[in-house]
Amino acid sequence: MASTCNFKRELNKVLFEGDSFYREVILNRPTKLNSLDYEVISDMLKNFRDFESDSKVKFVILKANGRAFSAGGDVVSIVGSMMTGHWCFGARFYKKQFNLDYLLATYKKPLLPLIDGIVMGGGAGLCMNGKFRIVTEKAVFAMPEASIGLFPDVGASHFLSRLPGHFGEFLGLTGGRLNGAEMLACGLATHFLFSKDLPLLENTLKTSDMATICQVVNKFTQKPNLKQDTIYQTQRLETINKCFSKDTIEEILLALENEAKNNPEIWITEAINSMKAASHTSLKITLRSIKEGRLQNLKQCLVREYTICCNVLRATVSYDFYEGSRALLFDKDKKPKWEPSKLELVSKEMVNRCFNGIDDDDWKCLQIPDRSVSSGDVLKPKL
């Protein structure tokens, strides 16, 4: 009987556990790097709403099985549903995902994400706009969407734009990776602790007075040392700010190439190569999205990002998302043929169209329910 229960548990893509006063939400697709499909998003949205309205539940822990917290949305399933049906199937996924992201960002009870592995794309959307962002030495953060013909969404134009200087543009345009210590240093994480201490942290939380929940987390927090070759060092940040503060992708690349002539550091070459390999349309969308995000709140960012997502799915100006998916996830030849094929062929008018609503009777602007949240309920990244 026990083996049958364990088998059923393994089949569940997301687990909901805990007792009368706390809940654990556990992403359970380790072989898929805990990617988020429609079923996972739907189950999480329903249960998180239930937990929030249940007066007996005092806090919620969000974690994952395997080596990834979540590597992002399940693009294979999203593209598959659209290829066999209609682009609106993908829009339904993003509509539900963005509503989940906003719910978690404005959650009215302590929500503790334990990021003990890869956190990318949609996985970052689950936690990067919340009050607690707890990482370990195993954490790996990235927003690599431009490499597949997408752009950093799930509220990324909000949390990336609030990082120091123009570090957010650097991460969004290059897909650069950060470890846990770097996440803490730049403000993407609020707490760092060692992976081995996670079980003890959880056990302590489950037996603590809720008035001391912050004290419990702080008790386990460590101050990690940045590696000598970290991207997050003063001289490199100065170069990043100088290059990524430019108004256009063309100007950013030119600035980076000029830096590379006088300062041939590997990270500069890698940044240039990653941008040149990405979708040209995605790069221009990404830069504008992050710039606009600086002047908008999270809800406004999500509404705008949803509109852009729908235009990408609908292939309003480019089929790059489908080509990128083919090259990286289906055929896996890693040789996408972007269209337009050159950066200068992506006009401002093309980018503008991706930010505009869709003229379709079946399409509506994203509606996110109003949630009464005090100014202290949502913690912005530390600057």
Side-chain angles (χ1 to χ4, degrees), residues 255-266:
L256 285 170
E257 288 168 347
N258 288 334
E259 286 292 329
K261 294 176 182 177
N262 303 315
N263 182 20
E265 286 194 86
I266 294 177

Side-chain angles (χ1 to χ4, degrees), residues 87-346:
W87 71 267
C88 282
F89 291 178
R92 287 177 57 200
F93 170 85
Y94 282 105
K95 177 182 178 181
K96 185 153 288 193
Q97 181 180 38
F98 286 14
N99 271 281
L100 172 63
D101 293 337
Y102 190 68
L103 173 69
L104 300 187
T106 58
Y107 214 58
K108 297 175 183 178
K109 295 180 178 179
L111 172 60
L112 306 171
L114 307 180
I115 305 167
D116 190 36
I118 298 168
V119 56
M120 298 182 181
L126 298 177
C127 52
M128 288 302 149
N129 285 298
K131 179 178 293 187
F132 291 95
R133 304 181 296 279
I134 302 169
V135 301
T136 74
E137 76 280 5
K138 295 181 181 179
V140 179
F141 169 89
M143 299 299 287
E145 288 85 350
S147 66
I148 200 174
L150 281 170
F151 69 102
D153 53 1
V154 296
S157 63
H158 187 266
F159 65 75
L160 288 179
S161 67
R162 281 152 178 79
L163 297 182
H166 293 273
F167 196 58
E169 280 92 339
F170 165 75
L171 293 175
L173 292 171
T174 67
R177 297 191 174 199
L178 302 180
N179 59 34
E182 292 166 329
M183 292 175 69
L184 183 70
C186 76
L188 282 171
T190 58
H191 300 80
F192 178 98
L193 53 87
F194 294 115
S195 181
K196 65 180 179 60
D197 293 331
L198 285 177
L200 185 56
L201 169 65
E202 291 185 58
N203 289 333
T204 306
L205 286 169
K206 295 168 188 177
T207 57
S208 297
D209 181 346
M210 284 303 96
T212 65
I213 190 167
C214 288
Q215 294 176 334
V216 171
V217 176
N218 288 335
K219 178 182 176 182
F220 288 88
T221 299
Q222 304 290 330
K223 293 184 178 180
N225 294 320
L226 292 172
K227 294 181 179 179
Q228 189 173 2
D229 62 347
T230 178
I231 189 66
Y232 203 77
Q233 58 176 251
T234 302
Q235 185 175 355
R236 291 175 178 175
L237 290 177
E238 289 175 354
T239 301
I240 287 172
N241 286 336
K242 182 168 69 172
C243 296
F244 286 86
S245 61
K246 306 299 184 183
D247 292 330
T248 68
I249 298 296
E250 289 89 342
E251 290 173 317
I252 290 173
L253 277 171
L254 179 60
L256 285 170
E257 288 168 347
N258 288 334
E259 286 292 329
K261 294 176 182 177
N262 303 315
N263 182 20
E265 286 194 86
I266 294 177
W267 76 268
I268 298 177
T269 302
E270 289 178 345
I272 294 170
N273 291 341
S274 65
M275 288 181 65
K276 287 187 174 181
S279 160
H280 314 300
T281 305
S282 294
L283 290 176
K284 294 199 172 184
I285 289 174
T286 297
L287 181 60
R288 176 173 164 181
S289 182
I290 294 174
K291 287 182 178 296
E292 290 193 4
R294 278 195 174 83
L295 305 176
Q296 297 177 325
N297 61 33
L298 175 59
K299 185 174 181 178
Q300 292 170 324
C301 286
L302 287 169
V303 169
R304 172 178 42 75
E305 290 172 2
Y306 176 74
T307 297
I308 303 171
C309 275
C310 289
N311 276 296
V312 170
L313 300 179
R314 183 173 175 262
T316 297
V317 301
S318 171
Y319 284 91
D320 277 2
F321 173 50
Y322 298 95
E323 172 61 12
S325 299
R326 178 205 65 76
L328 275 74
L329 301 175
F330 289 91
D331 295 345
K332 299 182 179 180
D333 57 35
K334 297 183 179 181
K335 296 180 179 179
K337 297 180 180 179
W338 306 123
E339 188 61 40
S341 59
K342 295 181 180 180
L343 192 60
E344 58 268 25
L345 296 178
V346 182

